[in-house]
Amino acid sequence: FAPALMMLFAVATASAEECPGVPRAVEGTVYCDNRFTLWVNGREIASDPVAFTPHQAVRVAFEWDGARSLTYAIECEDYASDSGYEYVESSRPQLGDGALIAEFDDGLGTVTNSSWRVHTVTFGPTDASYAAGCSASKLGSCAIENRGVPEGWTQPGFDDSRWDYAHSYSAAEAGWGRRPTWSPAEGCCTLTSPIDRSTQGCDRSLAENECLSPRKEFEGSRAGFIWAADLERDNRVLFRYTARCKGAG
């Protein structure tokens, strides 16, 4: 098949299971560099409780009526400033890279891959600002483009057919980030400085399932890293995927 036909075939056949027809609990794991919010069928399910570092995976759960298809909507944001650069408080600002990987045990095989749809909200630094002198040492010349958040984008009925398909990235390209550390004895997650990696205390407001090692959680998983076309300059990105089942109402 031609690549475009193969993509259409994959999307059309990704979820061919029967709807269970009865309510069931669904669990999943989400890792976004740097932070995310997840909605399912328009209802907010979870948000990443750590804004920057460490880079931790979060286990999520929700109830599904088993009678409808599942529309997953994830907002994922790289921790970029208004210039598009990270670490602007340090002497070495740099462009960060975003990444999303997720999987859900909904019985429909839902994992992140290139069949997800993607919309970039903020992009930068722009080409125009680079031409005007934007650089890590001249952040005042940098600018980002805000393309807006489409109204109703988390809802099942939203038309995402004009959105691009997500780009797939290897773990080497996306990276696992700075691994979190859970302290069973103290019941807390160790926070770290994004600047010098020093420990910033142990946060007892986080549960253990919010302080998971992404590399360990996704070892052997079918899920893959996805993002928009530019791993470094697409900063705030929206993702959608509908897991369809036979007999959905």
PDB file of all heavy atoms in Angstrom, residues 56-82:
ATOM      1  N   GLN A  56       7.842  12.649  35.419  1.00  0.00           N
ATOM      2  CA  GLN A  56       7.217  11.450  35.964  1.00  0.00           C
ATOM      3  C   GLN A  56       5.988  11.063  35.158  1.00  0.00           C
ATOM      4  O   GLN A  56       5.310  11.888  34.559  1.00  0.00           O
ATOM      5  CB  GLN A  56       6.873  11.662  37.440  1.00  0.00           C
ATOM      6  CG  GLN A  56       5.491  12.175  37.770  1.00  0.00           C
ATOM      7  CD  GLN A  56       5.236  13.617  37.358  1.00  0.00           C
ATOM      8  OE1 GLN A  56       6.005  14.243  36.645  1.00  0.00           O
ATOM      9  NE2 GLN A  56       4.092  14.142  37.786  1.00  0.00           N
ATOM     10  N   ALA A  57       5.716   9.766  35.137  1.00  0.00           N
ATOM     11  CA  ALA A  57       4.489   9.255  34.545  1.00  0.00           C
ATOM     12  C   ALA A  57       3.402   9.250  35.616  1.00  0.00           C
ATOM     13  O   ALA A  57       3.684   9.169  36.811  1.00  0.00           O
ATOM     14  CB  ALA A  57       4.705   7.849  33.997  1.00  0.00           C
ATOM     15  N   VAL A  58       2.150   9.329  35.163  1.00  0.00           N
ATOM     16  CA  VAL A  58       1.017   9.380  36.079  1.00  0.00           C
ATOM     17  C   VAL A  58       0.020   8.290  35.697  1.00  0.00           C
ATOM     18  O   VAL A  58      -0.336   8.158  34.517  1.00  0.00           O
ATOM     19  CB  VAL A  58       0.325  10.758  36.028  1.00  0.00           C
ATOM     20  CG1 VAL A  58      -0.905  10.778  36.925  1.00  0.00           C
ATOM     21  CG2 VAL A  58       1.298  11.867  36.421  1.00  0.00           C
ATOM     22  N   ARG A  59      -0.417   7.508  36.676  1.00  0.00           N
ATOM     23  CA  ARG A  59      -1.448   6.510  36.421  1.00  0.00           C
ATOM     24  C   ARG A  59      -2.816   7.159  36.592  1.00  0.00           C
ATOM     25  O   ARG A  59      -3.050   7.879  37.553  1.00  0.00           O
ATOM     26  CB  ARG A  59      -1.282   5.318  37.363  1.00  0.00           C
ATOM     27  CG  ARG A  59      -2.086   4.095  36.933  1.00  0.00           C
ATOM     28  CD  ARG A  59      -1.563   2.842  37.603  1.00  0.00           C
ATOM     29  NE  ARG A  59      -0.213   2.528  37.146  1.00  0.00           N
ATOM     30  CZ  ARG A  59       0.749   2.057  37.935  1.00  0.00           C
ATOM     31  NH1 ARG A  59       0.509   1.846  39.211  1.00  0.00           N
ATOM     32  NH2 ARG A  59       1.954   1.784  37.444  1.00  0.00           N
ATOM     33  N   VAL A  60      -3.707   6.920  35.651  1.00  0.00           N
ATOM     34  CA  VAL A  60      -5.029   7.538  35.656  1.00  0.00           C
ATOM     35  C   VAL A  60      -6.109   6.465  35.630  1.00  0.00           C
ATOM     36  O   VAL A  60      -5.839   5.306  35.276  1.00  0.00           O
ATOM     37  CB  VAL A  60      -5.198   8.492  34.454  1.00  0.00           C
ATOM     38  CG1 VAL A  60      -4.132   9.574  34.469  1.00  0.00           C
ATOM     39  CG2 VAL A  60      -5.135   7.706  33.128  1.00  0.00           C
ATOM     40  N   ALA A  61      -7.332   6.831  35.985  1.00  0.00           N
ATOM     41  CA  ALA A  61      -8.435   5.870  35.980  1.00  0.00           C
ATOM     42  C   ALA A  61      -9.748   6.609  35.771  1.00  0.00           C
ATOM     43  O   ALA A  61      -9.902   7.755  36.191  1.00  0.00           O
ATOM     44  CB  ALA A  61      -8.472   5.092  37.290  1.00  0.00           C
ATOM     45  N   PHE A  62     -10.677   5.948  35.095  1.00  0.00           N
ATOM     46  CA  PHE A  62     -11.998   6.521  34.899  1.00  0.00           C
ATOM     47  C   PHE A  62     -13.005   5.411  34.654  1.00  0.00           C
ATOM     48  O   PHE A  62     -12.643   4.269  34.355  1.00  0.00           O
ATOM     49  CB  PHE A  62     -12.000   7.513  33.725  1.00  0.00           C
ATOM     50  CG  PHE A  62     -11.634   6.921  32.388  1.00  0.00           C
ATOM     51  CD1 PHE A  62     -12.603   6.406  31.543  1.00  0.00           C
ATOM     52  CD2 PHE A  62     -10.300   6.874  31.977  1.00  0.00           C
ATOM     53  CE1 PHE A  62     -12.268   5.861  30.308  1.00  0.00           C
ATOM     54  CE2 PHE A  62      -9.953   6.343  30.754  1.00  0.00           C
ATOM     55  CZ  PHE A  62     -10.940   5.825  29.909  1.00  0.00           C
ATOM     56  N   GLU A  63     -14.277   5.748  34.789  1.00  0.00           N
ATOM     57  CA  GLU A  63     -15.357   4.801  34.541  1.00  0.00           C
ATOM     58  C   GLU A  63     -15.893   5.008  33.125  1.00  0.00           C
ATOM     59  O   GLU A  63     -16.115   6.137  32.689  1.00  0.00           O
ATOM     60  CB  GLU A  63     -16.486   4.999  35.555  1.00  0.00           C
ATOM     61  CG  GLU A  63     -16.107   4.612  36.987  1.00  0.00           C
ATOM     62  CD  GLU A  63     -15.871   3.130  37.147  1.00  0.00           C
ATOM     63  OE1 GLU A  63     -16.599   2.334  36.496  1.00  0.00           O
ATOM     64  OE2 GLU A  63     -14.961   2.756  37.918  1.00  0.00           O
ATOM     65  N   TRP A  64     -16.104   3.910  32.425  1.00  0.00           N
ATOM     66  CA  TRP A  64     -16.648   3.935  31.058  1.00  0.00           C
ATOM     67  C   TRP A  64     -17.971   3.197  31.062  1.00  0.00           C
ATOM     68  O   TRP A  64     -18.086   2.108  31.643  1.00  0.00           O
ATOM     69  CB  TRP A  64     -15.643   3.275  30.119  1.00  0.00           C
ATOM     70  CG  TRP A  64     -16.076   3.120  28.695  1.00  0.00           C
ATOM     71  CD1 TRP A  64     -16.885   3.947  27.974  1.00  0.00           C
ATOM     72  CD2 TRP A  64     -15.699   2.058  27.807  1.00  0.00           C
ATOM     73  NE1 TRP A  64     -17.039   3.485  26.689  1.00  0.00           N
ATOM     74  CE2 TRP A  64     -16.329   2.328  26.559  1.00  0.00           C
ATOM     75  CE3 TRP A  64     -14.893   0.923  27.933  1.00  0.00           C
ATOM     76  CZ2 TRP A  64     -16.177   1.483  25.458  1.00  0.00           C
ATOM     77  CZ3 TRP A  64     -14.739   0.096  26.851  1.00  0.00           C
ATOM     78  CH2 TRP A  64     -15.372   0.373  25.623  1.00  0.00           C
ATOM     79  N   ASP A  65     -18.976   3.770  30.384  1.00  0.00           N
ATOM     80  CA  ASP A  65     -20.286   3.109  30.377  1.00  0.00           C
ATOM     81  C   ASP A  65     -20.303   1.862  29.504  1.00  0.00           C
ATOM     82  O   ASP A  65     -21.250   1.068  29.543  1.00  0.00           O
ATOM     83  CB  ASP A  65     -21.389   4.083  29.951  1.00  0.00           C
ATOM     84  CG  ASP A  65     -21.223   4.621  28.528  1.00  0.00           C
ATOM     85  OD1 ASP A  65     -20.396   4.069  27.762  1.00  0.00           O
ATOM     86  OD2 ASP A  65     -21.912   5.594  28.181  1.00  0.00           O
ATOM     87  N   GLY A  66     -19.255   1.679  28.690  1.00  0.00           N
ATOM     88  CA  GLY A  66     -19.154   0.486  27.853  1.00  0.00           C
ATOM     89  C   GLY A  66     -20.055   0.479  26.645  1.00  0.00           C
ATOM     90  O   GLY A  66     -20.079  -0.489  25.883  1.00  0.00           O
ATOM     91  N   ALA A  67     -20.814   1.580  26.453  1.00  0.00           N
ATOM     92  CA  ALA A  67     -21.770   1.622  25.348  1.00  0.00           C
ATOM     93  C   ALA A  67     -21.384   2.612  24.261  1.00  0.00           C
ATOM     94  O   ALA A  67     -21.921   2.550  23.155  1.00  0.00           O
ATOM     95  CB  ALA A  67     -23.161   1.987  25.884  1.00  0.00           C
ATOM     96  N   ARG A  68     -20.436   3.513  24.562  1.00  0.00           N
ATOM     97  CA  ARG A  68     -20.019   4.532  23.604  1.00  0.00           C
ATOM     98  C   ARG A  68     -18.545   4.369  23.258  1.00  0.00           C
ATOM     99  O   ARG A  68     -17.783   3.779  24.021  1.00  0.00           O
ATOM    100  CB  ARG A  68     -20.235   5.936  24.178  1.00  0.00           C
ATOM    101  CG  ARG A  68     -21.675   6.310  24.479  1.00  0.00           C
ATOM    102  CD  ARG A  68     -21.729   7.710  25.059  1.00  0.00           C
ATOM    103  NE  ARG A  68     -21.050   7.768  26.356  1.00  0.00           N
ATOM    104  CZ  ARG A  68     -20.646   8.900  26.933  1.00  0.00           C
ATOM    105  NH1 ARG A  68     -20.808  10.055  26.306  1.00  0.00           N
ATOM    106  NH2 ARG A  68     -20.080   8.880  28.125  1.00  0.00           N
ATOM    107  N   SER A  69     -18.170   4.911  22.114  1.00  0.00           N
ATOM    108  CA  SER A  69     -16.753   4.982  21.792  1.00  0.00           C
ATOM    109  C   SER A  69     -16.067   5.917  22.775  1.00  0.00           C
ATOM    110  O   SER A  69     -16.717   6.722  23.458  1.00  0.00           O
ATOM    111  CB  SER A  69     -16.563   5.477  20.358  1.00  0.00           C
ATOM    112  OG  SER A  69     -17.126   4.573  19.434  1.00  0.00           O
ATOM    113  N   LEU A  70     -14.755   5.817  22.851  1.00  0.00           N
ATOM    114  CA  LEU A  70     -13.982   6.627  23.792  1.00  0.00           C
ATOM    115  C   LEU A  70     -13.155   7.655  23.038  1.00  0.00           C
ATOM    116  O   LEU A  70     -12.290   7.298  22.235  1.00  0.00           O
ATOM    117  CB  LEU A  70     -13.059   5.733  24.625  1.00  0.00           C
ATOM    118  CG  LEU A  70     -13.733   4.854  25.670  1.00  0.00           C
ATOM    119  CD1 LEU A  70     -12.748   3.822  26.202  1.00  0.00           C
ATOM    120  CD2 LEU A  70     -14.268   5.707  26.810  1.00  0.00           C
ATOM    121  N   THR A  71     -13.419   8.926  23.291  1.00  0.00           N
ATOM    122  CA  THR A  71     -12.618   9.994  22.690  1.00  0.00           C
ATOM    123  C   THR A  71     -11.641  10.511  23.737  1.00  0.00           C
ATOM    124  O   THR A  71     -12.041  11.087  24.753  1.00  0.00           O
ATOM    125  CB  THR A  71     -13.498  11.143  22.183  1.00  0.00           C
ATOM    126  OG1 THR A  71     -14.325  10.660  21.114  1.00  0.00           O
ATOM    127  CG2 THR A  71     -12.635  12.297  21.666  1.00  0.00           C
ATOM    128  N   TYR A  72     -10.359  10.274  23.472  1.00  0.00           N
ATOM    129  CA  TYR A  72      -9.293  10.746  24.349  1.00  0.00           C
ATOM    130  C   TYR A  72      -8.798  12.098  23.838  1.00  0.00           C
ATOM    131  O   TYR A  72      -8.529  12.252  22.640  1.00  0.00           O
ATOM    132  CB  TYR A  72      -8.128   9.760  24.360  1.00  0.00           C
ATOM    133  CG  TYR A  72      -8.452   8.428  24.983  1.00  0.00           C
ATOM    134  CD1 TYR A  72      -8.961   7.378  24.208  1.00  0.00           C
ATOM    135  CD2 TYR A  72      -8.248   8.209  26.339  1.00  0.00           C
ATOM    136  CE1 TYR A  72      -9.261   6.153  24.781  1.00  0.00           C
ATOM    137  CE2 TYR A  72      -8.542   6.978  26.913  1.00  0.00           C
ATOM    138  CZ  TYR A  72      -9.053   5.960  26.133  1.00  0.00           C
ATOM    139  OH  TYR A  72      -9.350   4.744  26.702  1.00  0.00           O
ATOM    140  N   ALA A  73      -8.676  13.063  24.738  1.00  0.00           N
ATOM    141  CA  ALA A  73      -8.143  14.384  24.394  1.00  0.00           C
ATOM    142  C   ALA A  73      -7.080  14.738  25.432  1.00  0.00           C
ATOM    143  O   ALA A  73      -7.363  14.712  26.634  1.00  0.00           O
ATOM    144  CB  ALA A  73      -9.252  15.430  24.386  1.00  0.00           C
ATOM    145  N   ILE A  74      -5.884  15.009  24.970  1.00  0.00           N
ATOM    146  CA  ILE A  74      -4.773  15.312  25.877  1.00  0.00           C
ATOM    147  C   ILE A  74      -4.122  16.627  25.458  1.00  0.00           C
ATOM    148  O   ILE A  74      -3.716  16.789  24.302  1.00  0.00           O
ATOM    149  CB  ILE A  74      -3.716  14.197  25.886  1.00  0.00           C
ATOM    150  CG1 ILE A  74      -4.343  12.861  26.281  1.00  0.00           C
ATOM    151  CG2 ILE A  74      -2.578  14.547  26.846  1.00  0.00           C
ATOM    152  CD1 ILE A  74      -3.376  11.689  26.255  1.00  0.00           C
ATOM    153  N   GLU A  75      -4.043  17.555  26.396  1.00  0.00           N
ATOM    154  CA  GLU A  75      -3.259  18.772  26.186  1.00  0.00           C
ATOM    155  C   GLU A  75      -1.900  18.542  26.820  1.00  0.00           C
ATOM    156  O   GLU A  75      -1.802  18.171  27.989  1.00  0.00           O
ATOM    157  CB  GLU A  75      -3.932  19.975  26.830  1.00  0.00           C
ATOM    158  CG  GLU A  75      -3.125  21.264  26.683  1.00  0.00           C
ATOM    159  CD  GLU A  75      -3.775  22.435  27.379  1.00  0.00           C
ATOM    160  OE1 GLU A  75      -4.284  22.255  28.510  1.00  0.00           O
ATOM    161  OE2 GLU A  75      -3.785  23.537  26.805  1.00  0.00           O
ATOM    162  N   CYS A  76      -0.857  18.743  26.049  1.00  0.00           N
ATOM    163  CA  CYS A  76       0.502  18.492  26.519  1.00  0.00           C
ATOM    164  C   CYS A  76       1.342  19.732  26.250  1.00  0.00           C
ATOM    165  O   CYS A  76       1.279  20.297  25.151  1.00  0.00           O
ATOM    166  CB  CYS A  76       1.072  17.282  25.781  1.00  0.00           C
ATOM    167  SG  CYS A  76       2.540  16.569  26.519  1.00  0.00           S
ATOM    168  N   GLU A  77       2.103  20.154  27.246  1.00  0.00           N
ATOM    169  CA  GLU A  77       2.850  21.404  27.117  1.00  0.00           C
ATOM    170  C   GLU A  77       4.296  21.232  27.544  1.00  0.00           C
ATOM    171  O   GLU A  77       4.576  20.785  28.658  1.00  0.00           O
ATOM    172  CB  GLU A  77       2.183  22.496  27.963  1.00  0.00           C
ATOM    173  CG  GLU A  77       2.802  23.873  27.794  1.00  0.00           C
ATOM    174  CD  GLU A  77       1.998  24.958  28.493  1.00  0.00           C
ATOM    175  OE1 GLU A  77       1.036  24.615  29.212  1.00  0.00           O
ATOM    176  OE2 GLU A  77       2.327  26.139  28.315  1.00  0.00           O
ATOM    177  N   ASP A  78       5.188  21.564  26.651  1.00  0.00           N
ATOM    178  CA  ASP A  78       6.592  21.645  26.992  1.00  0.00           C
ATOM    179  C   ASP A  78       6.780  22.915  27.829  1.00  0.00           C
ATOM    180  O   ASP A  78       6.066  23.893  27.637  1.00  0.00           O
ATOM    181  CB  ASP A  78       7.433  21.699  25.711  1.00  0.00           C
ATOM    182  CG  ASP A  78       8.909  21.570  25.975  1.00  0.00           C
ATOM    183  OD1 ASP A  78       9.267  20.940  26.982  1.00  0.00           O
ATOM    184  OD2 ASP A  78       9.703  22.090  25.184  1.00  0.00           O
ATOM    185  N   TYR A  79       7.744  22.886  28.731  1.00  0.00           N
ATOM    186  CA  TYR A  79       7.882  24.007  29.663  1.00  0.00           C
ATOM    187  C   TYR A  79       8.717  25.118  29.029  1.00  0.00           C
ATOM    188  O   TYR A  79       9.864  25.359  29.389  1.00  0.00           O
ATOM    189  CB  TYR A  79       8.516  23.536  30.965  1.00  0.00           C
ATOM    190  CG  TYR A  79       8.252  24.453  32.131  1.00  0.00           C
ATOM    191  CD1 TYR A  79       7.037  24.413  32.799  1.00  0.00           C
ATOM    192  CD2 TYR A  79       9.211  25.360  32.558  1.00  0.00           C
ATOM    193  CE1 TYR A  79       6.786  25.257  33.865  1.00  0.00           C
ATOM    194  CE2 TYR A  79       8.968  26.198  33.622  1.00  0.00           C
ATOM    195  CZ  TYR A  79       7.759  26.143  34.279  1.00  0.00           C
ATOM    196  OH  TYR A  79       7.518  26.990  35.336  1.00  0.00           O
ATOM    197  N   ALA A  80       8.123  25.805  28.063  1.00  0.00           N
ATOM    198  CA  ALA A  80       8.820  26.883  27.363  1.00  0.00           C
ATOM    199  C   ALA A  80       8.321  28.243  27.848  1.00  0.00           C
ATOM    200  O   ALA A  80       7.169  28.394  28.242  1.00  0.00           O
ATOM    201  CB  ALA A  80       8.604  26.766  25.861  1.00  0.00           C
ATOM    202  N   SER A  81       9.192  29.230  27.786  1.00  0.00           N
ATOM    203  CA  SER A  81       8.832  30.596  28.172  1.00  0.00           C
ATOM    204  C   SER A  81       8.189  31.299  26.982  1.00  0.00           C
ATOM    205  O   SER A  81       7.989  30.716  25.913  1.00  0.00           O
ATOM    206  CB  SER A  81      10.078  31.356  28.613  1.00  0.00           C
ATOM    207  OG  SER A  81      10.947  31.550  27.489  1.00  0.00           O
ATOM    208  N   ASP A  82       7.884  32.579  27.151  1.00  0.00           N
ATOM    209  CA  ASP A  82       7.291  33.361  26.056  1.00  0.00           C
ATOM    210  C   ASP A  82       8.248  33.523  24.879  1.00  0.00           C
ATOM    211  O   ASP A  82       7.826  33.921  23.797  1.00  0.00           O
ATOM    212  CB  ASP A  82       6.864  34.743  26.561  1.00  0.00           C
ATOM    213  CG  ASP A  82       5.680  34.674  27.509  1.00  0.00           C
ATOM    214  OD1 ASP A  82       4.975  33.651  27.484  1.00  0.00           O
ATOM    215  OD2 ASP A  82       5.463  35.635  28.267  1.00  0.00           O
TER     216      ASP A  82
END
